[in-house]
Amino acid sequence: MSKFGLALGGGGARGLAHIGVLKVLEKENIKVDVITGCSMGALIGGMYAYLGNAKEVEEFIYETVIHPKFLELGIDKLSESEKPDKNYFDQFFDYLDKRYQVLKSLNHLSYFDEETTNEMYNLIPDVKIESLKIKFSAIATDLISGEEINFTKGSLREAIKASSAIPGIFPPVKYQNYFLIDGSASESVPAGRVRELGADRVLAVDVMRPIKTVKQPQNVIDILYRAEDITSHHLSILRLREADLIIRPKVKHLSWADYEKINEIIYAGEKTAEENIKEIRKLVESYSLLLKLKHKFKKLD
């Protein structure tokens, strides 16, 4: 039996577009059998695998972004930049500078402490991945070995927490012998991992920003940031080749921290999925037809 899988990429608030894609798939009665997510893709994908309903995932996200603990973090302030093309590291250090927190950041592993972030992640149900309604996995990256970790079992909460631990902002997650951060460090859109879970056809949803031409770097920090951007860009291109179809919601002009634009972002996901629904349906149905033909000819043999 054929299985249709989703690879949901990271991108902070831009990843909320995944909700819109899921809403359209439901409306079109396209069954999702497998989901692998990275960072925000892990949160949306994991909650969808748990709840089995896109509207309920949307409601969960709305409740989360207005939750006092989330508002207390002040993540939306990280999008306050005169240069919207800055990556999250640039915005992060701008944020620190404005609030005179540089010394604090140099003496800690992350800006937000573990106690604060744990209170937020406690909103995610602590259930076993193996018990979810849809087969699911989440990607994280081990800082010690550089290894990519694919959570296919264990605590859903811990998997999402590790997969979305943005370096420098949220604390790394200690798990067994690993020291885990955001999966985007190793796998921005995990198309290949979906196949490992049994998917025959893979739809990848990419919300990462494309690399742009910039001015010549002026210092070592500029060079380090640019090198990181280039590495991520080429890694994304390589990994996306493993998908059968890629759709890109029009959210790349937005910051990873633009959570106040949740309505716009979810709608962008819906619109892109609707624009590509013929290709998505063709992807799902063509493989099902192929399997039926193979089965038919096998009987004739």
Side-chain angles (χ1 to χ4, degrees):
M1 185 176 178
S2 66
K3 290 187 177 180
F4 174 58
L6 289 180
L8 304 181
R14 295 191 299 273
L16 299 177
H18 298 319
I19 297 173
V21 174
L22 289 166
K23 288 171 74 174
V24 172
L25 294 178
E26 275 188 11
K27 186 176 69 174
E28 296 291 329
N29 295 312
I30 296 175
K31 180 175 178 286
V32 177
D33 301 294
V34 181
I35 302 173
T36 296
C38 177
S39 197
M40 181 56 77
L43 174 59
I44 302 303
M47 289 306 298
Y48 185 71
Y50 171 69
L51 296 167
N53 182 283
K55 186 63 181 174
E56 289 184 38
V57 176
E58 184 176 26
E59 290 169 357
F60 168 81
I61 293 298
Y62 273 114
E63 289 172 5
T64 299
V65 298
I66 64 171
H67 193 281
K69 290 298 178 184
F70 184 85
L71 296 174
E72 186 181 307
L73 291 176
I75 291 176
D76 59 305
K77 302 297 189 301
L78 292 170
S79 65
E80 294 178 354
S81 172
E82 294 178 2
K83 297 180 179 179
D85 288 336
K86 284 187 176 182
N87 63 31
Y88 68 72
F89 289 112
D90 294 318
Q91 295 176 41
F92 172 53
F93 284 110
D94 283 350
Y95 178 65
L96 290 178
D97 184 57
K98 289 177 184 177
R99 290 155 181 76
Y100 306 101
Q101 296 291 336
V102 174
L103 289 178
K104 175 184 175 181
S105 72
L106 292 177
N107 288 291
H108 293 76
L109 292 174
S110 61
Y111 180 71
F112 298 120
D113 60 41
E114 193 167 354
E115 181 180 350
T116 302
T117 53
N118 280 344
E119 289 178 2
M120 276 305 308
Y121 282 109
N122 283 343
L123 298 174
I124 298 168
D126 192 19
V127 298
K128 295 292 185 183
I129 292 174
E130 306 95 297
S131 71
L132 299 177
K133 297 176 181 178
I134 298 171
K135 203 166 188 178
F136 171 76
S137 73
I139 304 296
T141 307
D142 179 31
L143 277 175
I144 307 301
S145 66
E147 183 183 353
E148 180 179 292
I149 307 300
N150 189 19
F151 283 88
T152 59
K153 59 184 180 179
S155 167
L156 176 66
R157 180 186 294 168
E158 285 301 301
I160 292 174
K161 182 179 174 183
S163 184
S164 56
I166 299 173
I169 297 181
F170 297 114
V173 175
K174 295 177 183 177
Y175 174 78
Q176 295 181 0
N177 295 322
Y178 302 121
F179 203 45
L180 302 171
I181 59 167
D182 195 312
S184 294
S186 58
E187 181 100 50
S188 56
V189 188
R193 293 295 192 172
V194 187
R195 292 193 189 281
E196 291 178 10
L197 289 185
D200 306 298
R201 284 294 181 265
V202 177
L203 170 64
V205 185
D206 178 19
V207 293
M208 296 294 286
R209 281 178 171 167
I211 196 164
K212 295 183 178 181
T213 301
V214 298
K215 294 179 181 179
Q216 181 175 309
Q218 299 299 308
N219 53 54
V220 67
I221 299 299
D222 285 350
I223 291 173
L224 290 172
Y225 284 160
R226 185 58 176 172
E228 186 266 336
D229 284 343
I230 293 169
T231 300
S232 297
H233 171 70
H234 288 288
L235 177 63
S236 295
I237 292 174
L238 181 64
R239 295 300 174 86
L240 280 168
R241 290 176 185 170
E242 299 178 80
D244 295 297
L245 178 64
I246 306 164
I247 62 173
R248 295 181 170 91
K250 296 177 177 63
V251 294
K252 296 181 181 181
H253 60 290
L254 298 172
S255 163
W256 70 276
D258 279 334
Y259 287 95
E260 75 280 4
K261 296 179 181 177
I262 181 171
N263 292 329
E264 176 186 342
I265 297 170
I266 293 175
Y267 175 71
E270 287 185 66
K271 191 169 185 295
T272 299
E274 287 169 351
E275 290 170 351
N276 290 274
I277 197 61
K278 287 184 180 179
E279 288 79 7
I280 295 171
R281 190 168 289 286
K282 182 179 177 183
L283 173 66
V284 177
E285 294 176 352
S286 63
Y287 195 74
S288 296
L289 178 60
L290 178 62
L291 287 180
K292 286 178 182 178
L293 288 172
K294 282 185 176 180
H295 184 65
K296 183 178 179 180
F297 285 120
K298 190 174 182 181
K299 280 188 174 181
L300 291 174
D301 290 342

